[in-house]
Structure formats: structure tokens, C-alpha cells
Amino acid sequence: MSSPPSIPQIDRLASSPELAGFAPTIAAKAARLAVAGLRARALAGEEIPFEQFVSNAVEQAKGLTSLKTKPAINLTGVVLHTGLGRARLADEAAAAVAAVAASHAVVEFDLESGQRGNRQSHVEDLLCELTGAAAALVVNNCASAVLLALSAVARGREVVLSRGQMVEIGGSFRMPDVIEASGCRLVEVGCTNKTRLSDFEDATNSDTGAWLKCHPSSYQIVGFTAQPDSEALASAAHDRGLMLIDDLGSGCLVDTTRFGLAKERTLNEALKAGADLVLASGDKLLGGPQAGLILGSREAVAQLAKHPIARAVRIDKLTLAGLEATLRLYLEQRELEIPVWNALSRTVDDLRPLAEKLANSWPGDSDVVESESKIGGGSLPGLSVPTLCASLKSSSADRLARTLRVRPKPIVARIEGDSVLLDPRTATEDEIGEVCQFLSELEL
Ligand SMILES: *Cc1c(COP(=O)(O)O)cnc(C)c1O
């Protein structure tokens, strides 16, 4: 059966001169995609010129050869946007990553002796100094830290967790599932709103492997609520020869009230309360690369470090470099250079000129409106800070938001009612300038 006249042969399309700059495999795939995309219209009788297949195939080839993991401009007002890669690194941390990425690097090598060294010793020293922990270990992310901690401490035994902390962090990270995947049996205690120390004590027997606390980082239980005091929980666990594992989630090193936010328990406070292992993410409020921080007693951390899962969830040189550089900024009290804290420290007065500049560059109707920026990323549930946004009116907010998203460097905004809201809080001066330029050139 021959094709209808307006559907070209794949080979002929793939060898058109406009595709000559692409690898033959890319050109062939682009040609197939272009034909597949236009086929229905051609079969319906539409006369589609060959040039249209060519230009479609060129677009397909460009799409196939462009990077999909690429920088974006976040104007959503969500400081730690998981879809947009959570924390953006400080300039020094990004430079540290880039430097070791394109080079051989000192990762597990002792320069004094010329022998194999310890991959973790630099970040371990920094983490201990910053948090007061006796020992530290860094793994791929907080989810793997939880998996490793439970597997190493309580495999084959029971893990006691409050019903108010049976958290789903998002996607497939559900506390009950992770406990099961670690080879432990979950023992739920208390009620959704209230759990007492005696609930933990009553559930404990010779099969108990550990007590677990989990920060309900993506929701809040308000009203008639109670959770046992951390210190009392830790000391009662120790009386029974058990470890208390505290999955803190966000991993905050600074006092959040400084930024007008609600109090978030810091890593130091969780350790001081007596938890044997405190687990946290590197790319939430810490503002570093994706990583899982494990802090605690020498004995507990050593037990994890020698478990086979530790090797399976080991961090690479890029994470090491980015994390070390981020931690050094805290050590030097330069946390305002860390984008998370820089963004959260900006006041409405700081943001006003930026929101006005964005609003004024849109050729259509616009306004500057009060709104809220959210922390996001499973930190500080329900918490937000007041912000100012440019509100762009358009005949179709969805279409305008899409136009902003699909440019080579995506601009991600938020839609509220029939307006597109642009929150400047998380953007640099340069990014704001780029957005303004793009907006000013848009057709209404
Ligand atoms: C975010 C979070 C995790 C998962 O952290 P990742 O670094 O994303 O793996 C685990 N536990 C809590 C309480 C969290 O908030």
C-alpha cells in the first residue's frame, strides 16, 4: 500500500539538507516523529507541503538534542520547589561543584600520606562543629538516611511510631512503607492527634528495635494535640536500651524566628534533646545539594557507616563539594549568601521595586498585589511570608503561563484567578531583568 501523496518517505525527509547538522540517528528519529505528528491530518485529506514536514522535523531534532535538565527561573513564590530542584546553591557552592566536576579531585585521598583517605572526613568535621554532634555521615538523601538507619538499627524487629507522625512526604516516601522496606515491623501508637510517652512505653517489649520520631513536615495537626516531649522520649528509650531515631526532615541550622518564621527545631536542638540519630535533608532549609545528613552518637553513626546500604547510598564528589562549601558558609556566619535564607530574608520593601519592574514591563494590564511566598519542599508546613507579586492580566492566564514556561529558559509563574502572578522573592536581579525583557517583547 502506498502512502497518501502528502506523507513523505522517512528516509527522504531525514536526508533533507535542513537536518544535515544533526546525527543521522537523530535526523531519522525526528523525521519519524514529524511524520507521526502530521499523519492524521494528511490522512484526513489535508495537503501538507513537504516544507512543513521539514520544519516540523527540525523542531523535533532540536527538541531531541536539547538538555531537559536545565536552569529555570522560579517566580512561583515557593522557595523550595521540589519540581524545580528545591534549594538553589550559593554561588560559592555551585563553583565548588563545577570545579570538581570538570577535574579529578581529592575525594578519598590523603595528601599527606599519599594513601587512600576518608571520603567523609571534611563534611563530618564541619557537621559536628555546626551541630554539636559527636559523629556524622552523609548519604544520598534523607529517604535513604531513614532506610539505612532503620535497617542498621532495627532490622527484623519492631519500630514504634506515633499515629500522628505516619507521614507521606510525597510520591513513594511513606513512613510505614519505608519501615517495611527496612525489614522492620511498624508498631503504631497513640492517636492521630494525641500520643503520650506511655503509649511508647506500653508498646515496647523484647522485640522492639527502636523508637522513631518523624517530623510531619508536609502537614499540621492543630487543636487538641500532643506529642511526647523529645527529651522525655529519648531518656525513656535509653532506659530501655533503645535508640531514638529522629527524622527531622528539613535540617535547619539557624533560628527561623530571625526571619519572621515560626520556630523550626534545629539539628542542634534535636541532638541536644537526646536523639541517638538525627536525620535530615541537605536541600531543604540547609540550602545545599541533595543529601541525607545523619548525625548522632559515635556508636550509632558507626553502626550505620559499616552497613552495606551505606555504600549503596554513598554520595559522589559533586555532592561532597557542594555540601562542604555550603557548610563553610554557615561556619563563617555567611548564611545570608545561601539562597534559601537570602530569599526568606527579603522584606516586602525589598521586593516592591522588583514586583513593580515586572508589572511595568508587561504590555497588558498589570498590578502589584500582596500575596504570600511559601517555604515548600516539605518544610515548615503551612508557613508563608508576606510578599509582593506582579499580577499580569491576560485574556488567557493559562496561555500566558505556558508561553513563559516553554521558552528555552523556562519562567515558572503561578496562576491565581484570571491573572498570572510573578513573585520576585526567589529570583536574582539578572533573572528579573531577563523576565522583564521577555515580557516587554510579548504580543498581547
Ligand atoms: C523531606 C523529608 C524526607 C525525605 O527527604 P529527601 O531528602 O527528599 O529524601 C524524609 N523525612 C522527612 C520528615 C522529610 O521532611
Side-chain angles (χ1 to χ4, degrees):
M1 219 180 75
S2 69
S3 306
S6 83
I7 298 183
Q9 296 294 331
I10 301 286
D11 287 353
R12 181 171 157 240
L13 183 55
S15 53
S16 57
E18 289 85 347
L19 286 168
F22 296 97
T25 49
I26 300 286
K29 185 161 183 192
R32 275 199 305 279
L33 288 168
V35 167
L38 294 169
R39 177 177 213 99
R41 280 164 54 191
L43 289 178
E46 193 179 329
E47 204 47 54
I48 300 175
F50 183 66
E51 298 70 49
Q52 193 174 336
F53 280 95
V54 172
S55 62
N56 188 304
V58 169
E59 285 310 307
Q60 299 284 358
K62 284 185 188 159
L64 290 169
T65 51
S66 68
L67 278 176
K68 303 296 184 290
T69 309
K70 59 183 178 180
I73 300 177
N74 174 13
L75 300 180
T76 60
V78 181
V79 178
L80 296 167
H81 192 299
T82 300
L84 299 177
R86 287 198 189 151
R88 94 189 269 171
L89 292 183
D91 290 342
E92 273 181 33
V97 173
V100 299
S103 175
H104 295 287
V106 182
V107 174
E108 265 187 29
F109 189 73
D110 183 63
L111 295 171
E112 279 298 328
S113 65
Q115 307 288 311
R116 181 90 174 248
N118 177 347
R119 164 179 304 244
Q120 301 253 348
S121 56
H122 309 300
V123 286
E124 178 173 12
D125 290 348
L126 282 165
L127 281 170
C128 291
E129 179 156 358
L130 287 166
T131 64
L137 175 69
V138 182
V139 294
N140 185 52
N141 56 13
C142 187
S144 53
V146 176
L147 186 74
L148 171 60
L150 292 173
S151 304
V153 169
R155 174 175 291 280
R157 290 191 289 152
E158 294 177 352
V159 171
V160 187
L161 175 67
S162 160
R163 285 202 169 86
Q165 299 186 346
M166 300 266 288
V167 180
E168 170 175 317
I169 305 295
S172 53
F173 189 88
R174 298 179 130 187
M175 226 3 131
D177 300 340
V178 177
I179 291 172
E180 193 186 316
S182 313
C184 305
R185 293 187 302 281
L186 169 64
V187 177
E188 313 163 26
V189 297
C191 291
T192 304
N193 59 328
K194 280 205 173 197
T195 301
R196 299 185 179 80
L197 178 57
S198 57
D199 295 322
F200 274 82
E201 293 171 337
D202 294 346
T204 298
N205 58 46
S206 58
D207 249 6
T208 308
W211 286 3
L212 179 63
K213 247 175 90 83
C214 180
H215 190 304
S217 33
S218 44
Y219 66 96
Q220 269 175 325
I221 297 176
V222 293
F224 186 56
T225 68
Q227 281 293 330
D229 170 71
S230 301
E231 267 125 48
L233 199 62
S235 104
H238 297 159
D239 289 346
R240 288 159 180 77
L242 295 171
M243 283 193 196
L244 176 67
I245 302 172
D246 189 350
D247 175 11
L248 207 52
S250 204
C252 189
L253 282 173
V254 304
D255 177 3
T256 43
T257 60
R258 247 175 78 189
F259 299 88
L261 301 165
K263 174 85 189 112
E264 176 79 4
R265 219 148 58 93
T266 63
L267 290 164
N268 314 46
E269 287 160 351
L271 286 160
K272 229 189 206 143
D276 301 271
L277 288 166
V278 174
L279 316 176
S281 286
D283 55 352
K284 293 183 181 171
L285 286 177
L286 194 90
Q290 179 187 305
L293 314 183
I294 298 170
L295 307 164
S297 67
R298 269 202 191 85
E299 178 203 2
V301 172
Q303 194 173 335
L304 269 54
K306 63 174 198 270
H307 193 278
I309 288 179
R311 175 61 179 80
V313 296
R314 169 173 101 170
I315 53 169
D316 70 328
K317 66 174 180 178
L318 305 184
T319 305
L320 262 178
L323 184 61
E324 184 185 339
T326 304
L327 294 173
R328 285 194 188 285
L329 291 173
Y330 283 104
L331 197 68
E332 296 169 20
Q333 296 188 300
R334 293 165 60 199
E335 58 270 11
L336 287 182
E337 291 174 44
I338 298 173
V340 174
W341 297 117
N342 184 280
L344 288 171
S345 70
R346 296 169 99 175
T347 64
V348 164
D349 286 336
D350 296 335
L351 297 171
R352 190 180 312 275
L354 303 174
E356 282 170 357
K357 194 170 165 209
L358 286 165
N360 292 337
S361 55
W362 169 237
D365 279 348
S366 66
D367 218 341
V368 169
V369 298
E370 290 177 4
S371 183
E372 312 248 282
S373 309
K374 293 204 172 70
I375 313 300
S379 320
L380 304 173
L383 266 196
S384 47
V385 284
T387 196
L388 283 181
C389 293
S391 168
L392 314 184
K393 311 272 182 278
S394 148
S395 53
S396 165
D398 284 331
R399 201 172 52 222
L400 173 57
R402 182 179 181 278
T403 302
L404 294 171
R405 283 196 308 269
V406 298
R407 68 193 288 273
K409 183 166 185 179
I411 298 166
V412 188
R414 168 165 115 232
I415 296 175
E416 219 170 83
D418 57 359
S419 307
V420 172
L421 289 196
L422 308 178
D423 186 337
R425 178 174 298 279
T426 48
T428 62
E429 292 270 334
D430 285 353
E431 287 170 341
I432 299 283
E434 184 177 337
V435 176
C436 288
Q437 179 73 31
F438 184 70
L439 286 175
S440 69
E441 290 165 1
L442 283 180
E443 303 277 325
L444 277 181

